[in-house]
Amino acid sequence: MCGIFGISGHNEAARLAYLGLYALQHRGEESCGIVTCEKTRMRSHQGMGLVGDVFKEATLKTLTGNIAIGHVRYSTTGSSVEKNIQPFLVRHQSCSMAIAHNGNLTNTLGLRDLLEGKGSILQTSMDSELIVHLLAKSRRKDRKERVVDALAQLEGAYSLVMLMDDVLVAARDPFGFRPLCLGRINGSYVVASETCALDLIQAKYVRDIEPGEIVFISGKKLESIKPFPERRHAFCIFEYIYFSRPDSNIFGKNVYQTRKRLGRCLAKEAPVKGDFVMAIPDSGSYAATGFAEESGLPLETGMIRNHYVGRTFIQPSQLIRDFRVRIKLNPILDVIRGKKIGVVEDSIVRGTTSKARIKTIRDSGAKEIHLRISCPPLRFPCFYGIDFPTKKELIASRRSVAWIREYMELDSLDYLSLSGMLKSMLLPECEFCTACFNGKYPTPVSRKHGKDMLEKK
Ligand code: AMP
């Protein structure tokens, strides 16, 4: 889970990258960085923490050049330490390279063995570093061919932006797991994980970078190639359910409207007889709107979110996570007391925050609580960049819906069906990766890889 941004041919490149990352902050709160290039000299600033804290006006001034890439990070592969911050910057022979990666490769073990066997000394535990080594090792003379040569060896999920000297390269894996879009501002090209980053800098959305496409942007000129065989797409459906910002359009559809459709479909599949519908804010808010519309029940605000607290799962320590559950949401007692309530949430992952929130609603005097989840039970880990690490940690992988209902002390619990979820997407079913729900991984994932990923957490 990360956000990436790139811009070429703009004299405010660093500042626009900063704003772009600001808009993508929800994709990772652990660390961030920007690299710019002036002629062939790269400049970089990075740090642990939020974009607004890591970058100050004075630092942005030092990031000169009219081409920039940036990254916000939540670690899925590689631990949360300073040397793993991206963009990852190297100098090799006469070429400077920087890379920012969103996604997770599934052949990291094989690639590490291969590279170390050939004498590479790897500095980080990030799979993104492997891409830089593959680029440096390629025997092809031409930049374009070297990129194709390196990317052809990758398996799994990658949306990338790279600086190769003063050329901005953007690429998306042939399955298209993670989103990546192309925009324009004053004739300059911009690449970003989500369209909300284009909106903030008032860039115009042009199109998505297509699955399997590589673009080379030099100044204000763009060249696109699609060197890999076409294959089925595997857009991450969880981007729509939870991860992307609702004001973004990804994979050709608006996230907010998709979430509303999920809520509508959920209300048809699992109606609630109650006094009103409320969301667990903010993640459940958009599905709750659709649920209320479809069911004809009033939509109430039963909990207020403290906006000065980040997403609860973003700090990867159980102690902090539980603490954050308590400080993040405050119930409105006078709304909840004595009422039969349909509560809508986007997903249940580990079950810990949902249980705590349901307890808060119960302790506030709710008479009945009917929890509705706008996706099916999450039963399988993701190897493509979403943080569902172990099967063991996913509550629905070990427990039945009835068990979870009892554990959370609910009057009823229902999840949206897989077919209902897919129908709500308004895109052909075969376009999506639904592995976290049904275990059907679109690429081979070895057990060893899974185990390795878990040990690195
Ligand atoms: P929990 O009840 O502890 O499983 O927390 C689940 C809530 O956290 C969901 O309702 C989501 O809003 C949010 N969430 C979504 N994705 C993740 C994730 N990958 N890890 C943890 N929490 C997530």
mmCIF file of all heavy atoms in Angstrom, residues 71-105:
data_model
loop_
_atom_site.group_PDB
_atom_site.id
_atom_site.type_symbol
_atom_site.label_atom_id
_atom_site.label_comp_id
_atom_site.label_asym_id
_atom_site.label_seq_id
_atom_site.Cartn_x
_atom_site.Cartn_y
_atom_site.Cartn_z
ATOM 1 N N HIS A 71 6.805 9.545 -3.329
ATOM 2 C CA HIS A 71 6.272 8.290 -2.812
ATOM 3 C C HIS A 71 5.765 8.489 -1.390
ATOM 4 O O HIS A 71 6.403 9.188 -0.604
ATOM 5 C CB HIS A 71 7.418 7.266 -2.808
ATOM 6 C CG HIS A 71 7.018 5.862 -2.506
ATOM 7 N ND1 HIS A 71 7.137 5.309 -1.243
ATOM 8 C CD2 HIS A 71 6.515 4.885 -3.290
ATOM 9 C CE1 HIS A 71 6.725 4.048 -1.291
ATOM 10 N NE2 HIS A 71 6.339 3.756 -2.516
ATOM 11 N N VAL A 72 4.620 7.922 -1.066
ATOM 12 C CA VAL A 72 4.224 7.770 0.347
ATOM 13 C C VAL A 72 4.139 6.280 0.610
ATOM 14 O O VAL A 72 3.673 5.519 -0.245
ATOM 15 C CB VAL A 72 2.871 8.453 0.686
ATOM 16 C CG1 VAL A 72 3.000 9.954 0.712
ATOM 17 C CG2 VAL A 72 1.760 8.015 -0.251
ATOM 18 N N ARG A 73 4.597 5.879 1.791
ATOM 19 C CA ARG A 73 4.811 4.450 1.989
ATOM 20 C C ARG A 73 4.082 3.879 3.197
ATOM 21 O O ARG A 73 4.071 4.458 4.268
ATOM 22 C CB ARG A 73 6.309 4.220 2.189
ATOM 23 C CG ARG A 73 6.692 2.812 2.589
ATOM 24 C CD ARG A 73 8.209 2.688 2.626
ATOM 25 N NE ARG A 73 8.641 1.462 3.259
ATOM 26 C CZ ARG A 73 8.665 0.282 2.665
ATOM 27 N NH1 ARG A 73 8.286 0.170 1.414
ATOM 28 N NH2 ARG A 73 9.060 -0.783 3.309
ATOM 29 N N TYR A 74 3.468 2.756 2.992
ATOM 30 C CA TYR A 74 3.079 1.870 4.079
ATOM 31 C C TYR A 74 3.697 0.536 3.747
ATOM 32 O O TYR A 74 3.438 -0.004 2.682
ATOM 33 C CB TYR A 74 1.553 1.738 4.181
ATOM 34 C CG TYR A 74 1.171 0.741 5.243
ATOM 35 C CD1 TYR A 74 1.267 1.094 6.581
ATOM 36 C CD2 TYR A 74 0.783 -0.538 4.923
ATOM 37 C CE1 TYR A 74 0.977 0.180 7.565
ATOM 38 C CE2 TYR A 74 0.482 -1.461 5.906
ATOM 39 C CZ TYR A 74 0.576 -1.102 7.223
ATOM 40 O OH TYR A 74 0.296 -2.011 8.192
ATOM 41 N N SER A 75 4.532 0.015 4.609
ATOM 42 C CA SER A 75 5.333 -1.145 4.218
ATOM 43 C C SER A 75 4.515 -2.430 4.186
ATOM 44 O O SER A 75 3.799 -2.747 5.137
ATOM 45 C CB SER A 75 6.503 -1.334 5.168
ATOM 46 O OG SER A 75 6.028 -1.590 6.454
ATOM 47 N N THR A 76 4.593 -3.136 3.055
ATOM 48 C CA THR A 76 4.039 -4.488 3.018
ATOM 49 C C THR A 76 5.194 -5.478 2.886
ATOM 50 O O THR A 76 5.189 -6.535 3.478
ATOM 51 C CB THR A 76 3.053 -4.677 1.849
ATOM 52 O OG1 THR A 76 3.637 -4.153 0.674
ATOM 53 C CG2 THR A 76 1.755 -3.976 2.115
ATOM 54 N N THR A 77 6.198 -5.112 2.084
ATOM 55 C CA THR A 77 7.423 -5.908 2.034
ATOM 56 C C THR A 77 8.529 -5.017 2.539
ATOM 57 O O THR A 77 8.656 -3.876 2.107
ATOM 58 C CB THR A 77 7.768 -6.329 0.595
ATOM 59 O OG1 THR A 77 6.668 -7.048 0.093
ATOM 60 C CG2 THR A 77 8.992 -7.215 0.559
ATOM 61 N N GLY A 78 9.337 -5.516 3.442
ATOM 62 C CA GLY A 78 10.387 -4.669 4.000
ATOM 63 C C GLY A 78 9.846 -3.964 5.219
ATOM 64 O O GLY A 78 8.682 -3.585 5.268
ATOM 65 N N SER A 79 10.695 -3.806 6.211
ATOM 66 C CA SER A 79 10.183 -3.261 7.462
ATOM 67 C C SER A 79 10.147 -1.737 7.402
ATOM 68 O O SER A 79 10.639 -1.108 6.480
ATOM 69 C CB SER A 79 11.055 -3.745 8.604
ATOM 70 O OG SER A 79 12.396 -3.623 8.219
ATOM 71 N N SER A 80 9.523 -1.199 8.465
ATOM 72 C CA SER A 80 9.313 0.233 8.524
ATOM 73 C C SER A 80 10.547 0.920 9.096
ATOM 74 O O SER A 80 10.589 1.276 10.262
ATOM 75 C CB SER A 80 8.086 0.478 9.398
ATOM 76 O OG SER A 80 7.960 1.811 9.701
ATOM 77 N N VAL A 81 11.577 1.074 8.291
ATOM 78 C CA VAL A 81 12.799 1.725 8.765
ATOM 79 C C VAL A 81 13.263 2.738 7.726
ATOM 80 O O VAL A 81 12.853 2.671 6.568
ATOM 81 C CB VAL A 81 13.950 0.708 9.022
ATOM 82 C CG1 VAL A 81 13.659 -0.152 10.221
ATOM 83 C CG2 VAL A 81 14.212 -0.145 7.790
ATOM 84 N N GLU A 82 14.160 3.638 8.183
ATOM 85 C CA GLU A 82 14.537 4.744 7.295
ATOM 86 C C GLU A 82 15.140 4.313 5.971
ATOM 87 O O GLU A 82 14.892 4.918 4.944
ATOM 88 C CB GLU A 82 15.469 5.692 8.029
ATOM 89 C CG GLU A 82 14.667 6.793 8.690
ATOM 90 C CD GLU A 82 15.501 7.831 9.372
ATOM 91 O OE1 GLU A 82 16.472 8.290 8.760
ATOM 92 O OE2 GLU A 82 15.163 8.152 10.519
ATOM 93 N N LYS A 83 15.963 3.253 6.012
ATOM 94 C CA LYS A 83 16.622 2.912 4.755
ATOM 95 C C LYS A 83 15.645 2.331 3.718
ATOM 96 O O LYS A 83 15.979 2.239 2.546
ATOM 97 C CB LYS A 83 17.826 1.999 4.988
ATOM 98 C CG LYS A 83 17.509 0.595 5.407
ATOM 99 C CD LYS A 83 18.805 -0.188 5.465
ATOM 100 C CE LYS A 83 18.603 -1.512 5.972
ATOM 101 N NZ LYS A 83 18.370 -2.625 6.094
ATOM 102 N N ASN A 84 14.452 2.026 4.159
ATOM 103 C CA ASN A 84 13.447 1.523 3.215
ATOM 104 C C ASN A 84 12.553 2.623 2.635
ATOM 105 O O ASN A 84 11.602 2.335 1.920
ATOM 106 C CB ASN A 84 12.572 0.462 3.887
ATOM 107 C CG ASN A 84 13.278 -0.888 3.957
ATOM 108 O OD1 ASN A 84 14.302 -1.085 3.319
ATOM 109 N ND2 ASN A 84 12.732 -1.801 4.731
ATOM 110 N N ILE A 85 12.848 3.880 2.972
ATOM 111 C CA ILE A 85 12.021 4.962 2.437
ATOM 112 C C ILE A 85 12.250 5.067 0.924
ATOM 113 O O ILE A 85 13.356 4.861 0.444
ATOM 114 C CB ILE A 85 12.382 6.313 3.101
ATOM 115 C CG1 ILE A 85 12.183 6.230 4.620
ATOM 116 C CG2 ILE A 85 11.529 7.442 2.531
ATOM 117 C CD1 ILE A 85 12.582 7.496 5.348
ATOM 118 N N GLN A 86 11.196 5.414 0.204
ATOM 119 C CA GLN A 86 11.323 5.607 -1.239
ATOM 120 C C GLN A 86 11.039 7.063 -1.586
ATOM 121 O O GLN A 86 10.453 7.765 -0.780
ATOM 122 C CB GLN A 86 10.334 4.702 -1.975
ATOM 123 C CG GLN A 86 10.662 3.241 -1.825
ATOM 124 C CD GLN A 86 9.862 2.387 -2.808
ATOM 125 O OE1 GLN A 86 9.462 2.824 -3.871
ATOM 126 N NE2 GLN A 86 9.632 1.146 -2.421
ATOM 127 N N PRO A 87 11.369 7.560 -2.772
ATOM 128 C CA PRO A 87 12.019 6.872 -3.875
ATOM 129 C C PRO A 87 13.411 6.354 -3.507
ATOM 130 O O PRO A 87 14.133 6.969 -2.743
ATOM 131 C CB PRO A 87 12.128 7.925 -4.977
ATOM 132 C CG PRO A 87 11.093 8.937 -4.643
ATOM 133 C CD PRO A 87 10.970 8.943 -3.164
ATOM 134 N N PHE A 88 13.741 5.229 -4.100
ATOM 135 C CA PHE A 88 15.029 4.588 -3.900
ATOM 136 C C PHE A 88 15.967 5.138 -4.971
ATOM 137 O O PHE A 88 15.671 5.061 -6.155
ATOM 138 C CB PHE A 88 14.838 3.085 -4.039
ATOM 139 C CG PHE A 88 16.053 2.299 -3.700
ATOM 140 C CD1 PHE A 88 16.481 2.188 -2.388
ATOM 141 C CD2 PHE A 88 16.776 1.669 -4.699
ATOM 142 C CE1 PHE A 88 17.615 1.464 -2.069
ATOM 143 C CE2 PHE A 88 17.904 0.936 -4.392
ATOM 144 C CZ PHE A 88 18.327 0.836 -3.078
ATOM 145 N N LEU A 89 17.081 5.719 -4.511
ATOM 146 C CA LEU A 89 17.939 6.477 -5.424
ATOM 147 C C LEU A 89 19.313 5.830 -5.520
ATOM 148 O O LEU A 89 19.914 5.518 -4.500
ATOM 149 C CB LEU A 89 18.057 7.904 -4.873
ATOM 150 C CG LEU A 89 19.015 8.885 -5.515
ATOM 151 C CD1 LEU A 89 18.634 9.167 -6.959
ATOM 152 C CD2 LEU A 89 19.001 10.199 -4.725
ATOM 153 N N VAL A 90 19.796 5.611 -6.732
ATOM 154 C CA VAL A 90 21.145 5.046 -6.895
ATOM 155 C C VAL A 90 21.869 5.732 -8.046
ATOM 156 O O VAL A 90 21.246 6.307 -8.940
ATOM 157 C CB VAL A 90 21.118 3.523 -7.219
ATOM 158 C CG1 VAL A 90 20.645 2.715 -6.058
ATOM 159 C CG2 VAL A 90 20.321 3.219 -8.470
ATOM 160 N N ARG A 91 23.192 5.631 -7.981
ATOM 161 C CA ARG A 91 23.997 6.060 -9.119
ATOM 162 C C ARG A 91 24.742 4.840 -9.609
ATOM 163 O O ARG A 91 25.338 4.110 -8.815
ATOM 164 C CB ARG A 91 24.986 7.126 -8.646
ATOM 165 C CG ARG A 91 25.167 8.141 -9.676
ATOM 166 C CD ARG A 91 26.112 9.252 -9.416
ATOM 167 N NE ARG A 91 26.750 9.544 -10.700
ATOM 168 C CZ ARG A 91 26.122 10.094 -11.723
ATOM 169 N NH1 ARG A 91 24.870 10.442 -11.624
ATOM 170 N NH2 ARG A 91 26.749 10.300 -12.875
ATOM 171 N N HIS A 92 24.689 4.599 -10.918
ATOM 172 C CA HIS A 92 25.355 3.425 -11.465
ATOM 173 C C HIS A 92 26.053 3.820 -12.749
ATOM 174 O O HIS A 92 25.402 4.314 -13.672
ATOM 175 C CB HIS A 92 24.330 2.311 -11.728
ATOM 176 C CG HIS A 92 24.930 1.095 -12.333
ATOM 177 N ND1 HIS A 92 25.763 0.263 -11.633
ATOM 178 C CD2 HIS A 92 24.829 0.574 -13.573
ATOM 179 C CE1 HIS A 92 26.144 -0.729 -12.430
ATOM 180 N NE2 HIS A 92 25.591 -0.557 -13.613
ATOM 181 N N GLN A 93 27.362 3.582 -12.785
ATOM 182 C CA GLN A 93 28.163 4.046 -13.917
ATOM 183 C C GLN A 93 27.824 5.520 -14.164
ATOM 184 O O GLN A 93 27.881 6.314 -13.249
ATOM 185 C CB GLN A 93 27.953 3.140 -15.129
ATOM 186 C CG GLN A 93 28.530 1.756 -14.818
ATOM 187 C CD GLN A 93 28.323 0.745 -15.907
ATOM 188 O OE1 GLN A 93 27.387 0.805 -16.689
ATOM 189 N NE2 GLN A 93 29.220 -0.233 -15.939
ATOM 190 N N SER A 94 27.391 5.860 -15.358
ATOM 191 C CA SER A 94 27.178 7.300 -15.558
ATOM 192 C C SER A 94 25.702 7.685 -15.401
ATOM 193 O O SER A 94 25.310 8.801 -15.697
ATOM 194 C CB SER A 94 27.665 7.677 -16.952
ATOM 195 O OG SER A 94 26.975 6.876 -17.882
ATOM 196 N N CYS A 95 24.879 6.769 -14.907
ATOM 197 C CA CYS A 95 23.430 7.026 -14.889
ATOM 198 C C CYS A 95 22.895 7.134 -13.454
ATOM 199 O O CYS A 95 23.269 6.342 -12.592
ATOM 200 C CB CYS A 95 22.740 5.882 -15.636
ATOM 201 S SG CYS A 95 20.964 5.921 -15.542
ATOM 202 N N SER A 96 22.045 8.114 -13.203
ATOM 203 C CA SER A 96 21.354 8.189 -11.906
ATOM 204 C C SER A 96 19.948 7.660 -12.093
ATOM 205 O O SER A 96 19.313 7.932 -13.111
ATOM 206 C CB SER A 96 21.273 9.634 -11.426
ATOM 207 O OG SER A 96 22.544 10.116 -11.168
ATOM 208 N N MET A 97 19.506 6.916 -11.093
ATOM 209 C CA MET A 97 18.164 6.320 -11.182
ATOM 210 C C MET A 97 17.448 6.460 -9.851
ATOM 211 O O MET A 97 18.062 6.308 -8.796
ATOM 212 C CB MET A 97 18.281 4.817 -11.453
ATOM 213 C CG MET A 97 18.351 4.449 -12.904
ATOM 214 S SD MET A 97 18.240 2.672 -13.086
ATOM 215 C CE MET A 97 19.811 2.118 -12.524
ATOM 216 N N ALA A 98 16.156 6.720 -9.921
ATOM 217 C CA ALA A 98 15.341 6.728 -8.705
ATOM 218 C C ALA A 98 14.039 6.019 -9.026
ATOM 219 O O ALA A 98 13.531 6.124 -10.147
ATOM 220 C CB ALA A 98 15.073 8.155 -8.269
ATOM 221 N N ILE A 99 13.523 5.285 -8.053
ATOM 222 C CA ILE A 99 12.310 4.513 -8.323
ATOM 223 C C ILE A 99 11.328 4.616 -7.152
ATOM 224 O O ILE A 99 11.736 4.641 -5.984
ATOM 225 C CB ILE A 99 12.673 3.024 -8.595
ATOM 226 C CG1 ILE A 99 11.442 2.225 -8.992
ATOM 227 C CG2 ILE A 99 13.343 2.375 -7.403
ATOM 228 C CD1 ILE A 99 11.759 0.873 -9.583
ATOM 229 N N ALA A 100 10.060 4.715 -7.486
ATOM 230 C CA ALA A 100 8.996 4.680 -6.479
ATOM 231 C C ALA A 100 7.992 3.622 -6.930
ATOM 232 O O ALA A 100 7.567 3.618 -8.090
ATOM 233 C CB ALA A 100 8.330 6.043 -6.374
ATOM 234 N N HIS A 101 7.636 2.741 -6.027
ATOM 235 C CA HIS A 101 6.893 1.533 -6.393
ATOM 236 C C HIS A 101 5.655 1.371 -5.511
ATOM 237 O O HIS A 101 5.724 1.515 -4.300
ATOM 238 C CB HIS A 101 7.855 0.340 -6.202
ATOM 239 C CG HIS A 101 7.235 -1.017 -6.337
ATOM 240 N ND1 HIS A 101 7.760 -2.126 -5.721
ATOM 241 C CD2 HIS A 101 6.148 -1.451 -7.004
ATOM 242 C CE1 HIS A 101 7.026 -3.189 -6.015
ATOM 243 N NE2 HIS A 101 6.041 -2.803 -6.793
ATOM 244 N N ASN A 102 4.540 1.068 -6.141
ATOM 245 C CA ASN A 102 3.340 0.659 -5.407
ATOM 246 C C ASN A 102 2.972 -0.736 -5.877
ATOM 247 O O ASN A 102 2.829 -0.966 -7.080
ATOM 248 C CB ASN A 102 2.197 1.645 -5.699
ATOM 249 C CG ASN A 102 0.854 1.209 -5.115
ATOM 250 O OD1 ASN A 102 -0.190 1.515 -5.665
ATOM 251 N ND2 ASN A 102 0.867 0.495 -4.008
ATOM 252 N N GLY A 103 2.825 -1.645 -4.909
ATOM 253 C CA GLY A 103 2.493 -3.028 -5.254
ATOM 254 C C GLY A 103 3.472 -3.962 -4.583
ATOM 255 O O GLY A 103 4.307 -3.531 -3.786
ATOM 256 N N ASN A 104 3.346 -5.208 -4.895
ATOM 257 C CA ASN A 104 4.198 -6.208 -4.274
ATOM 258 C C ASN A 104 4.566 -7.252 -5.315
ATOM 259 O O ASN A 104 3.680 -7.790 -5.965
ATOM 260 C CB ASN A 104 3.394 -6.915 -3.173
ATOM 261 C CG ASN A 104 4.147 -6.949 -1.892
ATOM 262 O OD1 ASN A 104 4.215 -5.950 -1.187
ATOM 263 N ND2 ASN A 104 4.758 -8.086 -1.609
ATOM 264 N N LEU A 105 5.861 -7.508 -5.431
ATOM 265 C CA LEU A 105 6.268 -8.542 -6.385
ATOM 266 C C LEU A 105 6.077 -9.908 -5.740
ATOM 267 O O LEU A 105 6.206 -10.054 -4.525
ATOM 268 C CB LEU A 105 7.733 -8.344 -6.776
ATOM 269 C CG LEU A 105 8.068 -6.980 -7.368
ATOM 270 C CD1 LEU A 105 9.547 -6.908 -7.745
ATOM 271 C CD2 LEU A 105 7.202 -6.688 -8.595
#
